[in-house]
């Protein structure tokens, strides 16, 4: 096609307009930039996290069995051996998300740079296939982590998760494992499953579709409400770790009173008590 001096400016303007209308290329973030990232679904990239908010594994008390299972599973995965997706479910404040981050740190301490942690927010689960597609082309092994995962009525994004974990044509990339925490064992509210059972033409199949999501996780690790002994062990561990200047009798008495005012005992309640105690003692928590 020949152009004339009259048509060249017009063609240039058309080309510039088309360029403005076309979507920008997806921004990328090198996975060598850090050991932890947050998935930015809108931009389609992983953003590095300079400093992860986490506690040392030695401070996570009362969950020894599930701690050892998750640590062993993660070690195997980091070493290139078969490992399972994991669902950490159960009581609030018992260290589910803290344990995932602590295990990641522990494995990297044993074998530096062997594993990256990528957090995906619950509301971005539908974009999980896109994230997996990016990770498939990477060499580094990654734990993709979603905190407080659950699905409500009329929420169909769980289908994206099912397909990515096991059911899709491509399946889960060999260099990726998925860990999630939830207060629900089956990730669905009970009344949602009961409603499916009562209204479906084939009730068992309708419920099975939703319950089967949990089956994609090879590990179900349960976290239960802690005893007073475990709670006081958590408090004592935090107090010792941070060098709080308080005698054991006072520490235990005040910790028990604090739990009573909160209506329960958990690792989160123990940490909140320690923050209050350190503030009253005029000591910093580093």
């Amino acid at each position: 096609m020949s152009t004339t001096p009259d048509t060249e400016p017009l063609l240039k303007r058309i080309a510039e307009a088309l360029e403005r209308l076309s979507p920008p290329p997806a921004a990328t973030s090198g996975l060598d930039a850090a050991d932890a990232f947050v998935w930015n679904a809108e931009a389609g990239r992983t953003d590095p996290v300079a400093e992860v908010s986490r506690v040392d594994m030695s401070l996570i008390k009362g969950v020894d069995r599930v701690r050892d299972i998750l640590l062993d599973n993660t070690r195997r995965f980091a070493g290139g051996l078969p490992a399972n997706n994991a669902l950490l479910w159960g009581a609030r404040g018992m260290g589910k998300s803290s344990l995932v981050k602590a295990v990641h740190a522990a494995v990297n301490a044993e074998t530096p740079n062997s594993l990256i942690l990528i957090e995906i927010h619950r509301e971005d689960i539908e974009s999980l296939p896109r994230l997996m597609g990016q990770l498939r082309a990477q060499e580094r092994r990654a734990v993709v982590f979603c905190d407080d995962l659950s699905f409500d009525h009329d929420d169909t994004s769980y289908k994206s998760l099912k397909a990515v974990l096991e059911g899709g044509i491509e399946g889960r990339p060999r260099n990726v494992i998925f860990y999630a925490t939830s207060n629900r064992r089956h990730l669905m509210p009970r009344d949602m499953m009961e409603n499916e059972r009562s209204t479906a033409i084939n009730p068992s199949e309708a419920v099975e579709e939703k319950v089967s999501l949990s089956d994609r996780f090879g590990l179900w690790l349960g976290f239960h409400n802690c005893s007073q002994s475990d709670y006081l062990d958590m408090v004592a561990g935090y107090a010792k770790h941070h060098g709080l200047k308080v005698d054991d009798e006072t520490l235990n008495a005040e910790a028990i009173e604090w739990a009573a005012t909160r209506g329960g005992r958990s690792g989160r309640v123990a940490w909140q008590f320690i923050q209050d105690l350190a503030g009253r003692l005029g000591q910093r928590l580093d």
Side-chain angles (χ1 to χ4, degrees):
M1 175 181 175
S2 60
T3 61
T4 67
D6 293 334
T7 60
E8 285 181 0
L10 176 61
L11 292 175
K12 183 179 180 180
R13 289 199 300 273
I14 292 173
E16 290 173 347
L18 290 173
E19 187 175 346
R20 288 194 298 271
L21 289 172
S22 63
T28 59
S29 174
L31 293 181
D32 293 327
D35 282 333
F37 301 81
V38 173
W39 170 241
N40 185 329
E42 184 176 353
R45 66 167 185 256
T46 49
D47 293 333
V49 177
E51 184 175 354
V52 178
S53 174
R54 57 178 153 217
V55 300
D56 189 86
M57 192 181 300
S58 64
L59 298 176
I60 303 175
K61 306 288 187 181
V63 292
D64 295 3
R65 181 175 176 275
V66 295
R67 176 201 63 201
D68 293 345
I69 292 173
L70 188 67
L71 180 59
D72 182 57
N73 190 69
T74 310
R75 279 174 176 152
R76 292 201 311 268
F77 171 69
L81 296 173
N84 278 304
N85 301 313
L87 174 63
L88 290 69
W89 67 275
R92 294 178 175 85
M94 282 304 295
K96 297 185 292 293
S97 60
S98 295
L99 183 59
V100 172
K101 291 182 283 187
V103 162
H104 167 251
V107 171
N108 269 356
E110 295 170 355
T111 310
N113 303 316
S114 62
L115 203 59
I116 58 175
L117 181 68
I118 302 176
E119 181 175 14
I120 181 171
H121 296 139
R122 158 66 190 88
E123 58 271 20
D124 296 328
I125 282 294
E126 283 189 329
S127 69
L128 185 58
R130 197 153 39 108
L131 170 59
M132 292 293 191
Q134 290 189 18
L135 295 177
R136 192 183 299 274
Q138 301 290 332
E139 292 185 4
R140 296 193 74 182
R141 303 183 77 78
V143 174
V144 176
F145 166 54
C146 184
D147 191 24
D148 199 20
L149 179 64
S150 62
F151 300 94
D152 296 318
H153 298 272
D154 302 321
D155 187 347
T156 60
S157 61
Y158 73 90
K159 294 182 180 180
S160 298
L161 179 57
K162 284 178 64 175
V164 164
L165 293 182
E166 296 293 347
I169 293 177
E170 292 183 303
R172 171 168 55 90
R174 292 182 180 274
N175 64 325
V176 179
I177 202 166
F178 188 82
Y179 288 175
T181 71
S182 178
N183 297 324
R184 301 169 180 166
R185 183 174 183 178
H186 291 296
L187 302 177
M188 309 285 182
R190 182 177 298 276
D191 63 332
M192 181 177 178
M193 291 190 290
E194 289 176 349
N195 182 63
E196 290 285 350
R197 184 179 285 111
S198 64
T199 59
I201 295 175
N202 191 325
S204 61
E205 289 184 1
V207 174
E208 179 65 23
E209 181 185 8
K210 291 178 169 56
V211 173
S212 66
L213 174 59
S214 296
D215 293 340
R216 263 60 177 183
F217 295 90
L219 290 180
W220 287 11
L221 303 178
F223 289 68
H224 308 287
N225 291 319
C226 65
S227 65
Q228 180 165 292
S229 176
D230 286 337
Y231 169 69
L232 292 178
D233 283 346
M234 295 172 189
V235 170
Y238 281 131
K240 181 179 180 180
H241 180 78
H242 293 288
L244 299 186
K245 299 173 182 177
V246 58
D247 63 87
D248 292 345
E249 185 177 348
T250 301
L251 180 68
N252 289 344
E254 292 190 3
I256 292 171
E257 181 181 0
W258 180 272
T261 63
R262 295 300 305 273
R265 297 180 294 261
S266 70
R268 181 177 298 138
V269 171
W271 175 241
Q272 291 167 345
F273 165 70
I274 288 295
Q275 291 185 95
D276 179 78
L277 176 61
R280 288 188 282 113
L281 294 174
Q283 294 184 233
R284 295 184 179 276
L285 297 175
D286 297 324

